[in-house]
């Protein structure tokens, strides 16, 4: 394989890791979960609408399990998850850029892209 083939394979590994449960996870009351971008956006709209209507509490449903939350805490949680996801994205892109800059096949093959990700959030 050419160096470009090796880089491409390593980039695919990095992207698989980035989208895996090793990265995409947080804990709510001890339950491991993840909210994708579209879900986070939808929840933010919902929470904003509930706040605007004067509500103070909401329910977050995850795989059929309700989590009752104060809206102020729910919004803070979504913001924290968004910051976590952004930090993970930045770290993944840094790993891709690093692999792209390497010139020796063995350096690319042995590159450890599992480093630098933030600690998982716990709510």
């Amino acid at each position: 394989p050419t160096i470009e083939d090796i880089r491409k394979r390593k980039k695919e590994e990095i992207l698989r890791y980035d989208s895996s449960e090793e990265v995409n996870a947080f804990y709510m009351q001890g339950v491991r979960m993840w909210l994708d971008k579209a879900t986070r956006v939808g929840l933010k709209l919902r929470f904003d609408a509930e706040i605007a209507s004067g509500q103070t509490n909401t329910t977050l449903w995850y795989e059929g399990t309700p989590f009752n939350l104060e809206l102020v805490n729910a919004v803070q949680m979504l913001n924290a998850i968004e910051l976590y996801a952004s930090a993970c994205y930045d770290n993944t892109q840094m790993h891709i850029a690093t692999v792209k800059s390497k010139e020796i096949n063995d350096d690319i093959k042995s590159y450890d892209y599992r480093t630098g990700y933030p600690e998982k959030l716990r709510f």
Side-chain angles (χ1 to χ4, degrees):
T2 67
I3 194 164
E4 286 308 315
D5 292 334
I6 295 168
R7 281 188 186 121
K8 181 181 176 189
R9 275 186 250 158
K10 187 58 77 167
K11 180 181 176 184
E12 289 167 355
E13 287 177 32
I14 293 168
L15 292 173
R16 269 194 308 275
Y17 185 75
D18 175 70
S19 63
S20 75
E21 292 180 356
E22 292 297 318
V23 174
N24 293 333
F26 65 90
Y27 294 89
M28 168 75 70
Q29 299 172 10
V31 176
R32 188 176 192 285
M33 60 177 67
W34 183 244
L35 304 172
D36 64 24
K37 180 78 164 182
T39 301
R40 294 192 308 269
V41 170
L43 285 172
K44 178 74 167 103
L45 292 171
R46 174 186 171 172
F47 296 163
D48 288 348
E50 290 172 338
I51 290 168
S53 73
Q55 295 180 44
T56 58
N57 294 297
T58 191
T59 302
L60 171 66
W61 289 91
Y62 189 77
E63 296 183 352
T65 302
F67 294 87
N68 297 312
L69 304 168
E70 291 182 25
L71 277 163
V72 67
N73 294 336
V75 170
Q76 289 174 347
M77 178 193 75
L78 280 181
N79 289 339
I81 294 167
E82 193 61 37
L83 290 171
Y84 171 87
S86 295
C88 290
Y89 174 82
D90 290 346
N91 193 59
T92 295
Q93 293 305 310
M94 184 272 308
H95 286 308
I96 291 170
T98 299
V99 165
K100 186 176 181 180
S101 71
K102 291 194 175 291
E103 297 294 331
I104 299 171
N105 290 357
D106 287 341
D107 288 349
I108 297 168
K109 289 177 185 176
S110 66
Y111 181 72
D112 184 5
Y113 51 82
R114 292 174 177 89
T115 63
Y117 287 93
E119 187 173 326
K120 294 198 179 44
L121 301 170
R122 296 183 184 278
F123 303 101

